[in-house]
Amino acid sequence: MQSFRKLLIAASLACALPAMAADTTLIKDVRVFDGQTVHARRSVLLEGGKIVNADFKGKTPAGTHVVDGAGRTLMPGLIDSHTHSFQHFELPLVFGVTSELDMFTAVPLVQEMNSRMARGENKDRPDIISAGILATVPGGHGTEYGFPIPTLTTPEEAQPWVDARIAEGSHFIKIVMEPGWPGHPMPSLDRATVKALIAAAHQRGKLAVVHISNQDDARAALEEGADGLVHLFNGESISDADLKSFVKLAHARKAFIIPTFSVLQSVSGLKETDVLEDKQMMALLTADQAAPLNSPYGKQERAQRMNATKSVVAALRTAGVPVLAGTDAGNAGTQAGASLHHELLSLTQAGLTPLEALRAATSVPAKAFRLADRGVIAKGAKADLVLVEGDPSQDIKASRNIVEVWKDGATVSARRKAQQELVAKELSTPTAAPQALPADGMISLFSKEKLASPFGTGWVPSNDAFLGGKSTVNLEYAGENAVNVKASVQPGFAFPWAGIAFVPGSQPFQPANLSAAKTLRFRVKGDGHGYQVGIMHGSARIPVYQPFAAGAEWQEVSLPMANFAGVDTSAITLIMFNAGPKTGDYQFQIADVRLTNQ
């Protein structure tokens, strides 16, 4: 949505508190997980942003800042192997995530980050190693985020497309195989073009990784030479024959797998309750940052949909196929930094030992993505480190007990403290009074002259045109406080829509406190098609939907606000009444829209 575009523009203006660094730091007498094994007691010396001695035994140099490691574990900075970076750039650091493998973001951000890292001036953010723009077809997955995407459809286009991405600064190539799901088919790259893209990436010495969502595409990607899969598929079960065959193929092709439990669980309607119930983690998340964790994609919990994913990960582990910890942070149900600790827990619940899970977030992704300077505690490596209380190689949840984080040798203490103070201030500050609702709840004051409202910006046409879509909508006053909505939902955007929207804030995308509203009511009639009410809140860029139908006769629709799971009603930015995503022509009338306190 438009908010996503604004966040991308704002990215270059984001600032962070200056990191604190001593010229030389000694972390003394600490348990060390070096990326592979655990050493009961070592001292690690840092200088100039590097690890200069991973087993220091000499006399402490004069002027060295000494950190007591007794009872603590020192680990390499964590690597999230699947993220999408567009906001909260500094947040992962406070959770010990010092590197992110970004699977798709805007080119200006990639170039800015490449420049920051090249200058050695990225101590206040995680390093972002990015694919930049992903490979997809017109209207395919990845085209729905509000900025132009160069697409392709034939094998002959593959090498020029890959070369253009490398010239833009992409570190590796991400390819999308995504046919959609029941009720929402999507165009996708054909197998010949996927094969050509993989070959083109390899021709230039770049890794080629593939987004998949089903077993058939996963097999096809591996058979065509993909270096790794950036998702696994889910399902209630997988046959023994399919399981053995898939794992054998992954092993034979020397591929790595990023399961992304965090987002697959979100699709299955599961929340990261371990994070939401962890007081020390929640003390580092503002309400806006925590909101996505309460808004998974799935509207019903379907834990059984994760059975196949768990079975595959357990079998991959047994077969020695590299498994990497990645969250798909940036999506509903996840949050950058925090979700990686949930991912580590999920990996152990799928059969990895805590030690293996730690490797999946350090040395394994570093090796898979050819990042020789991180993921380990060794001489010459980047001084990207995390110090925690306890031993996460025995209890994976100890990874959350963070004492200190170093990024390029600089401590993150100031950032962590500032974040804690920001959250504490937010909790102690009285929230703005809820918007006073009209006595009758009526928010639609429709007339021939104006589609007005008692508060906010009012009512506006809503469609996908500003995101490159081709859907159109026409609003006409129909008399008696009703509006006739004629929508033409057309291909051209991955999730096309058209309809009418209420903007409750005094400016577009300014949050309004509608917590006094308990129920959304409206009257509707139309062509018999199904429609959706979508509510956006905070900085969330993905609406939460509830369906409704528009039959031939007027009927009242009553939707409890509680049905819009995860929506922060104190920060609503948009309420939409939309046709789509199924393409075609639609017509409905809407009248007497009310927000009531009952």
Side-chain angles (χ1 to χ4, degrees):
M1 299 294 291
Q2 187 86 11
S3 56
F4 181 66
R5 178 181 293 169
K6 290 180 179 179
L7 287 165
L8 287 170
I9 294 172
S12 62
L13 303 177
C15 63
L17 292 178
M20 297 174 61
D23 290 338
T24 308
T25 298
L26 181 68
I27 305 147
K28 189 174 181 181
D29 298 330
V30 67
R31 183 187 303 106
V32 172
F33 165 65
D34 65 6
Q36 282 293 328
T37 59
V38 175
H39 307 274
R41 185 177 178 183
R42 282 189 170 183
S43 296
V44 178
L45 187 65
L46 320 178
E47 186 175 0
K50 300 288 186 180
I51 299 170
V52 295
N53 195 325
D55 187 15
F56 181 77
K57 296 178 179 176
K59 182 179 178 181
T60 302
T64 297
H65 175 58
V66 178
V67 178
D68 182 13
R72 298 167 172 173
T73 301
L74 186 67
M75 309 185 295
L78 300 175
I79 302 172
D80 190 333
S81 295
H82 189 142
T83 68
H84 296 282
S85 301
F86 63 93
Q87 62 177 330
H88 306 316
F89 295 106
E90 76 292 340
L91 185 61
L93 275 187
V94 305
F95 292 101
V97 176
T98 57
S99 296
E100 296 180 286
L101 297 172
D102 175 85
M103 294 294 163
F104 170 42
T105 196
V107 171
L109 176 60
V110 175
Q111 294 174 340
E112 178 203 358
M113 288 301 302
N114 287 349
S115 178
R116 287 169 61 98
M117 292 187 293
R119 298 193 309 266
E121 298 175 359
N122 198 48
K123 294 180 179 181
D124 54 1
R125 299 183 190 176
D127 289 345
I128 297 177
I129 295 91
S130 181
I133 299 301
L134 43 69
T136 190
V137 296
H141 180 49
T143 64
E144 64 264 41
Y145 297 109
F147 54 95
I149 300 295
T151 57
L152 72 165
T153 56
T154 66
E156 292 72 23
E157 297 171 277
Q159 194 68 63
W161 190 95
V162 166
D163 290 346
R165 304 290 77 73
I166 295 171
E168 289 172 345
S170 295
H171 295 258
F172 56 94
I173 301 300
K174 182 188 175 185
I175 302 162
V176 173
M177 299 182 77
E178 179 54 74
W181 52 89
H184 187 68
M186 301 177 70
S188 184
L189 292 166
D190 61 33
R191 184 161 174 167
T193 306
V194 170
K195 180 178 181 179
L197 282 162
I198 293 170
H202 290 170
Q203 180 69 23
R204 301 295 186 244
K206 298 294 184 181
L207 293 174
V209 299
V210 182
H211 162 111
I212 58 89
S213 62
N214 62 68
Q215 187 179 164
D216 289 343
D217 284 345
R219 290 189 60 89
L222 294 176
E223 288 169 353
E224 299 301 349
D227 297 290
L229 303 181
V230 300
H231 292 292
L232 263 181
F233 43 86
N234 58 12
E236 295 186 8
S237 64
I238 183 171
S239 71
D240 288 343
D242 284 345
L243 179 60
K244 291 177 182 177
S245 175
F246 176 76
V247 172
K248 181 179 180 181
L249 175 62
H251 186 269
R253 297 305 173 108
K254 296 181 172 58
F256 57 82
I257 309 292
I258 310 173
T260 60
F261 277 102
S262 297
V263 78
L264 293 183
Q265 289 165 347
S266 174
V267 171
S268 300
L270 304 175
K271 295 182 181 181
E272 297 182 5
T273 54
D274 58 298
V275 175
L276 290 166
E277 295 174 358
D278 189 319
K279 292 181 180 180
Q280 66 178 350
M281 295 190 77
M282 295 304 290
L284 291 165
L285 294 172
T286 65
D288 191 45
Q289 292 164 347
L293 297 172
N294 280 304
S295 303
Y297 282 119
K299 302 313 171 191
Q300 294 181 335
E301 290 190 9
R302 301 175 65 191
Q304 68 275 15
R305 291 285 298 164
M306 297 303 302
N307 292 345
T309 314
K310 291 180 180 179
S311 296
V312 173
V313 168
L316 291 169
R317 177 251 183 188
T318 300
V321 176
V323 174
L324 284 60
T327 62
D328 210 355
N331 278 281
T334 70
Q335 185 51 271
S339 287
L340 187 61
H341 295 277
H342 171 77
E343 191 74 21
L344 294 176
L345 178 62
S346 296
L347 288 172
T348 64
Q349 292 171 339
L352 274 66
T353 67
L355 185 61
E356 290 166 340
L358 293 176
R359 291 171 183 158
T362 53
S363 60
V364 175
K367 180 178 180 181
F369 281 85
R370 305 169 184 170
L371 306 173
D373 62 346
R374 71 196 71 204
V376 295
I377 296 179
K379 182 179 180 180
K382 282 166 59 73
D384 292 356
L385 299 164
V386 185
L387 182 66
V388 300
E389 295 285 358
D391 185 359
S393 71
Q394 299 297 315
D395 175 9
I396 196 62
K397 282 192 172 183
S399 69
R400 309 167 186 214
N401 301 332
I402 295 174
V403 176
E404 184 57 276
V405 180
W406 289 266
K407 175 65 170 62
D408 292 328
T411 68
V412 184
S413 298
R415 168 54 58 191
R416 282 177 56 84
K417 182 179 180 181
Q419 184 71 10
Q420 289 169 336
E421 291 176 347
L422 178 64
V423 174
K425 181 179 179 180
E426 181 182 73
L427 291 173
S428 63
T429 301
T431 57
Q435 170 67 49
L437 302 176
D440 60 358
M442 190 74 70
I443 60 171
S444 59
L445 305 180
F446 300 153
S447 68
K448 188 175 182 180
E449 290 74 28
K450 187 176 182 181
L451 303 182
S453 61
F455 60 86
T457 303
W459 293 82
V460 296
S462 169
N463 65 8
D464 56 27
F466 74 93
L467 293 174
K470 299 178 181 179
S471 301
T472 60
V473 62
N474 182 54
L475 306 181
E476 295 178 347
Y477 179 63
E480 299 183 358
N481 198 32
V483 170
N484 190 47
V485 181
K486 291 184 178 180
S488 178
V489 180
Q490 297 296 324
F493 177 68
F495 297 90
W497 86 88
I500 185 171
F502 171 57
V503 184
S506 58
Q507 298 178 11
F509 292 99
Q510 181 180 43
N513 187 345
L514 302 184
S515 59
K518 305 304 179 186
T519 305
L520 172 65
R521 290 189 171 91
F522 56 95
R523 292 194 305 122
V524 67
K525 72 174 183 177
D527 52 17
H529 286 310
Y531 295 88
Q532 299 181 87
V533 177
I535 298 182
M536 295 183 66
H537 63 112
S539 65
R541 58 187 175 88
I542 301 172
V544 177
Y545 287 109
Q546 285 289 307
F548 69 93
E553 303 296 329
W554 282 106
Q555 61 179 334
E556 184 175 81
V557 177
S558 180
L559 298 173
M561 297 297 283
N563 285 6
F564 295 88
V567 166
D568 180 1
T569 56
S570 69
I572 290 179
T573 56
L574 205 62
I575 302 177
M576 303 178 290
F577 302 80
N578 289 338
K582 184 178 180 180
T583 58
D585 293 330
Y586 295 80
Q587 183 273 328
F588 69 95
Q589 289 187 23
I590 187 169
D592 301 337
V593 185
R594 303 170 190 260
L595 288 171
T596 66
N597 57 12
Q598 296 179 347

